Amino acid sequence: MHHTLQLKVLDARFGGEWPLPAYATEASAGLDLRAALDAPLVLEPGDTALVPSGISIHIADPALCAVILPRSGLGHKHGIVLGNGTGLIDADYQGPLMISVWNRGREPFTMQPGDRIAQLVLLPVVRATLQVVDEFETSARGTGGFGHTGVQ
Ligand SMILES: O=c1ccn([C@H]2C[C@H](O)[C@@H](COP(=O)(O)OP(=O)(O)OP(=O)(O)O)O2)c(=O)[nH]1
Ligand SMILES: [Mg+2]
């Protein structure tokens, strides 16, 4: 699926010093987001910081959203993940895209201005109309969950 996404450049270093967010390969799902920092940022173990991405987007279509996800290399090797688990960007949000970074690792991590620190993925959204009922039609699973079907 393809969508034309409106983007505002909030940091003049984009287009000059830094390329605009881009897909790393033809079939990459995520657009890499950069840390629009003025100076290196040292994240001590356990610390979180809200880092500007230097851009804003307007998805507009309520059948879409975007999520901010960790980059796997940073998350696995350096413990740099997101302070909010996953960032959810609403289709009507027009403010600056912010990245909550969390050092869940055991070593301090230094982030340089312009580093690609997370990724943005556009996703389809199904919005629900709630229908309140007294009983559900019985399903194979019923109310079983949280390991109910075993491990093997
Ligand atoms: O990692 C994130 C998560 C959210 N947002 C922006 C876009 C999103 O549309 C808005 C609100 O996010 P969310 O609904 O998750 O946060 P909230 O705490 O419920 O805030 P609000 O009361 O504004 O909805 O904040 C970001 O820039 N980065
Ligand atoms: Mg909200």
Side-chain angles (χ1 to χ4, degrees):
M1 213 162 97
H2 179 265
H3 180 73
T4 299
L5 182 62
Q6 288 199 341
L7 177 146
K8 272 192 199 169
V9 172
L10 306 178
D11 190 305
R13 289 170 289 185
F14 280 106
E17 213 176 310
W18 307 331
L20 279 176
Y23 293 103
T25 66
E26 289 225 334
S28 293
L31 285 162
D32 284 338
L33 297 175
R34 291 178 190 273
L37 293 166
D38 292 329
L41 174 72
V42 179
L43 262 191
E44 297 295 334
D47 275 5
T48 56
L50 202 54
V51 174
S53 68
I55 60 165
S56 56
I57 58 169
H58 184 211
I59 301 169
D61 182 347
L64 297 173
C65 72
V67 291
I68 298 178
L69 300 174
R71 293 186 67 202
S72 53
L74 281 180
H76 181 72
K77 291 184 203 147
H78 302 286
I80 300 301
V81 294
L82 300 173
N84 50 353
T86 302
L88 176 62
I89 315 303
D90 299 288
D92 53 0
Y93 182 70
Q94 299 182 317
L97 268 193
M98 302 298 290
I99 306 162
S100 170
V101 285
W102 172 33
N103 183 354
R104 62 154 189 81
R106 293 196 176 93
E107 306 291 335
F109 182 83
T110 304
M111 201 168 282
Q112 301 293 338
D115 278 358
R116 290 177 291 133
I117 55 167
Q119 52 188 330
L120 184 82
V121 179
L122 269 183
L123 292 175
V125 168
V126 178
R127 279 164 53 91
T129 299
L130 300 184
Q131 180 189 20
V132 178
V133 297
D134 290 327
E135 298 293 340
F136 295 129
E137 198 176 306
T138 304
S139 71
R141 172 179 289 275
T143 59
F146 297 92
H148 168 83
T149 62
V151 176
Q152 297 203 320

